[in-house]
Amino acid sequence: MRMNEAPENVRLIGGEMLLWSDSSHTSGVTDWRGVALELVRRLLPIETEEDGKARVLLVGPHPRGLVDEVVARAASVAVLLRSYPDACALAERHPDLAVHCGRLSALPEGEPYDLVLALDGLRRTHSAEEVAPPWRESLGALAALVAPGGRFVLSVSNDLGIDRFVEARPADRDSGDEHWEPHGFDQGYPDGPGALDEELAAAGLTPERCYAAYPGRAAPRALLGRELLGCDLPDALTVPLSARGGDRMLVADPLRLTRLVFSHGLGEQLAPLWVAMATRPSNAPTVRADVSPGQFEDSPTVRADLPLGLFEEGHAVHEVIWGATRRLPDGVERAIPAGRVLEEVLIEACAREDVRAVRDLLTVLGDWVEMGGDAAADNLVWDGERFAAIHALPPPPARPADRVVLCRVLWRFAVRLLAAGHHHPWPWPRQAEQLTLTLCGMAGRPCDQADLDLARKLDAELGQPAELSDAAPTYRDLLGARDRLADQLTAALARVSRLETKLTYRERELLRARGRLRKSQRKSAAYRRTLGYRLSRRLARPRRVARRVLRLLSG
């Protein structure tokens, strides 16, 4: 598309990138989905007292679904993009949208906005052909666009987030354009939620709430407020916040590492991404929401429409309230079950080779399945007496046999156990199928290959099947393969050592036998040299000759 073919609603303001596209999958644009859509729905529509119209500004590239939601709900929407191809494509899709193409510093001054959304951060608000302005300067420019009483939503990536510990590939190997100008040399870049609140206050805004986004900065699927992270979160809530593999170069088990972060109270400091919400002061009163009396008195003032936490489970979005969750939009409240995750209990028992504990727990699990229970091993919590599902799964059209249901649960556990490289006390099962059948036998419900095939088919019908990936091996897979080869080499060396010991013993026995043989030969040679032996041999010779002559004559 040539410059003179740009849609009428595209305005070039200077600093535009004519050939670059931020919508490319290699550019690392944050893939916001359900939780961001729900947050935007709660912020829109906004009506001003003057003309009743909401003015919204989207800064930087955003997912198509989020842009469509904002355009559908707000009366007046403007977008700032540095990419000329992206600006033209967006303007053609929404002819009534005001698209400004260029850098943030060149955005013309006008009426302030009631909502400014920058969910992709500030790194794509300037051109690569100029020196990047300091982060603090970009924040001040955006804060100046917020109207009195308006809101400002900004995402800030954490360079020490939990996803950086999980990922083995260096950040500068992602081929993302944000690495053109590393912000690590920017002294004004916030290093934590507290510093972020201070920067927002210095820009003339009042912080409302800071969310921690999980499981990663590339595709956040959960938002947890600071008030929630200050409490002891139950295991049933932290399990959905962990990354679940993919084609990334994982150096550690993301589920295990994320669980440790929350257990040590570092969920806010080590969040991959922070989403800060602030407002420009006005005379409108604010109320505190989702905060029980006497708690968190030092936290920023928040409005009642801000959720305490949001997370995605499949295609559904759940809201976190105190002690319970609620499926949106109109689901009923469900108490968060207490107890430990079944998968972690089994992994710890396998690590210490406590076969008896594994057998007892699997036996109880089999009894629970026979009573009508059905959930994946990583979707169950165990409080020492009973099991409870973290999230209710949709039941299949026709319930299969109980052994098939149990085989499905143990199949999912076996796949994750081997994929994460955890230790188990059974050296012979090298594949998930063999380990699953072994676990079924330990539960007292033996299964065969036909039952396992039915279990895998049921797992695929219920969605998100626990299948081993056929993609190229990740860094963690290579480490697991190396550990397995090291174990096999250790066993082979032990066998070689035993065989060498046995061979040494046999060689000593052979030497002793040879010594006895040489001694017998020496005795025999000495006997042959005696006079009696020689006389007996000579006297016996005529008798043999006479015997031979008699045979010839008689023949």
Side-chain angles (χ1 to χ4, degrees):
M1 179 180 292
R2 296 192 299 269
M3 295 282 296
N4 54 4
E5 296 179 355
E8 296 180 355
N9 54 337
V10 174
R11 181 181 179 184
L12 304 181
I13 61 177
E16 57 273 356
M17 301 176 66
L18 300 179
L19 301 179
W20 176 262
S21 174
D22 282 320
S23 61
S24 173
H25 67 281
T26 60
S27 61
V29 178
T30 306
D31 182 21
W32 291 101
R33 295 186 184 178
V35 292
L37 290 176
E38 178 61 29
L39 190 61
V40 170
R41 292 189 188 105
R42 300 205 179 192
L43 299 177
L44 293 172
I46 303 175
E47 296 183 357
T48 61
E49 298 178 357
E50 291 80 5
D51 54 3
K53 294 182 179 179
R55 288 174 49 83
V56 180
L57 174 64
L58 290 171
V59 181
H62 288 78
R64 174 176 295 189
L66 191 144
V67 175
D68 296 342
E69 184 74 18
V70 173
V71 173
R73 289 179 174 266
S76 176
V77 181
V79 179
L80 173 64
L81 294 174
R82 65 178 181 179
S83 170
Y84 179 74
D86 294 346
C88 294
L90 182 60
E92 290 180 351
R93 196 168 75 247
H94 299 286
D96 298 332
L97 189 65
V99 181
H100 303 279
C101 183
R103 58 181 180 271
L104 174 61
S105 59
L107 185 65
E109 297 182 0
E111 295 184 20
Y113 295 90
D114 302 292
L115 176 63
V116 177
L117 290 175
L119 291 177
D120 191 61
L122 303 179
R123 298 184 182 179
R124 295 178 179 86
T125 58
H126 61 274
S127 174
E129 299 174 356
E130 62 179 358
V131 179
W135 185 89
R136 186 175 298 166
E137 179 180 333
S138 300
L139 175 63
L142 275 184
L145 301 176
V146 181
R151 277 177 166 168
F152 177 52
V153 183
L154 172 67
S155 71
V156 179
S157 60
N158 182 10
D159 293 333
L160 287 178
I162 185 65
D163 54 344
R164 290 304 187 195
F165 294 96
V166 173
E167 182 68 34
R169 183 188 292 111
D172 54 2
R173 296 297 298 274
D174 292 337
S175 299
D177 61 291
E178 66 266 22
H179 300 293
W180 290 336
E181 187 73 23
H183 68 269
F185 303 101
D186 190 349
Q187 299 298 327
Y189 193 85
D191 57 0
L196 180 57
D197 290 342
E198 294 177 0
E199 295 293 339
L200 292 173
L205 302 176
T206 301
E208 288 186 292
R209 171 162 283 165
C210 184
Y211 291 101
Y214 279 89
R217 72 192 67 196
R221 298 293 178 260
L223 295 175
L224 297 180
R226 179 178 301 170
E227 299 87 349
L228 193 63
L229 294 174
C231 304
D232 187 12
L233 298 180
D235 293 356
L237 185 59
T238 59
V239 167
L241 307 181
S242 61
R244 297 304 178 92
D247 58 352
R248 303 175 351 172
M249 293 182 62
L250 301 180
V251 72
D253 183 11
L255 175 61
R256 180 68 174 173
L257 198 57
T258 306
R259 289 279 298 105
L260 290 176
V261 167
F262 283 102
S263 64
H264 290 282
L266 299 175
E268 184 179 15
Q269 291 79 6
L270 297 182
L273 197 72
W274 299 303
V275 178
M277 304 189 63
T279 183
R280 184 167 294 281
S282 65
N283 297 328
T286 59
V287 297
R288 297 172 62 81
D290 300 322
V291 181
S292 57
Q295 289 184 335
F296 314 115
E297 293 300 331
D298 296 332
S299 61
T301 302
V302 297
R303 296 182 179 179
D305 53 355
L306 295 182
L308 182 64
L310 298 169
F311 67 91
E312 300 176 24
E313 184 67 24
H315 298 288
V317 179
H318 300 260
E319 180 182 0
V320 182
I321 54 181
W322 289 112
T325 60
R326 182 173 66 91
R327 181 170 179 172
L328 300 177
D330 53 0
V332 297
E333 293 185 7
R334 181 177 181 269
I336 301 177
R340 298 190 60 196
V341 181
L342 173 62
E343 179 178 309
E344 291 187 354
V345 179
L346 290 175
I347 288 176
E348 291 180 0
C350 291
R352 62 176 182 267
E353 298 190 355
D354 192 350
V355 180
R356 180 176 180 181
V358 175
R359 181 185 295 109
D360 295 342
L361 189 58
L362 292 182
T363 302
V364 179
L365 178 62
D367 298 337
W368 179 76
V369 170
E370 292 177 353
M371 291 187 294
D374 178 17
D378 54 355
N379 195 31
L380 283 176
V381 291
W382 166 253
D383 61 358
E385 297 181 358
R386 62 183 64 87
F387 293 99
I390 298 176
H391 300 293
L393 297 176
R399 179 180 172 85
D402 292 336
R403 66 179 183 276
V404 176
V405 176
L406 178 63
C407 189
R408 169 186 171 267
V409 175
L410 298 181
W411 158 253
R412 293 180 63 87
F413 168 71
V415 170
R416 280 197 49 80
L417 180 72
L418 296 179
H422 293 296
H423 174 73
H424 62 81
W426 305 283
W428 60 89
R430 295 294 177 183
Q431 303 296 330
E433 294 85 352
Q434 301 172 350
L435 182 58
T436 302
L437 299 179
T438 301
L439 295 174
C440 291
M442 295 192 64
R445 281 81 174 175
C447 298
D448 53 16
Q449 187 62 38
D451 296 330
L452 180 58
D453 294 339
L454 293 176
R456 297 177 63 176
K457 182 179 179 180
L458 174 63
D459 194 37
E461 293 176 354
L462 295 178
Q464 296 182 350
E467 297 290 344
L468 295 175
S469 176
D470 295 332
T474 63
Y475 186 75
R476 183 160 54 95
D477 295 334
L478 296 178
L479 290 178
R482 188 203 65 176
D483 293 339
R484 287 192 297 271
L485 292 176
D487 294 339
Q488 296 178 8
L489 180 60
T490 301
L493 291 177
R495 183 179 181 184
V496 169
S497 178
R498 291 194 300 270
L499 292 177
E500 288 181 348
T501 302
K502 192 173 183 179
L503 179 60
T504 301
Y505 173 77
R506 296 298 185 186
E507 288 179 347
R508 292 176 180 174
E509 290 291 327
L510 181 60
L511 290 177
R512 285 194 291 267
R514 288 178 177 176
R516 289 193 295 269
L517 178 60
R518 286 194 294 268
K519 185 177 181 180
S520 299
Q521 290 175 348
R522 287 194 297 270
K523 290 182 178 180
S524 176
Y527 177 73
R528 288 191 184 96
R529 290 194 295 268
T530 59
L531 179 62
Y533 176 80
R534 290 197 298 269
L535 290 176
S536 61
R537 292 284 294 178
R538 292 177 180 178
L539 292 175
R541 188 176 303 168
R543 284 181 294 181
R544 287 197 298 271
V545 173
R547 199 180 298 116
R548 188 178 305 167
V549 171
L550 290 175
R551 286 197 199 98
L552 293 174
L553 294 176
S554 61

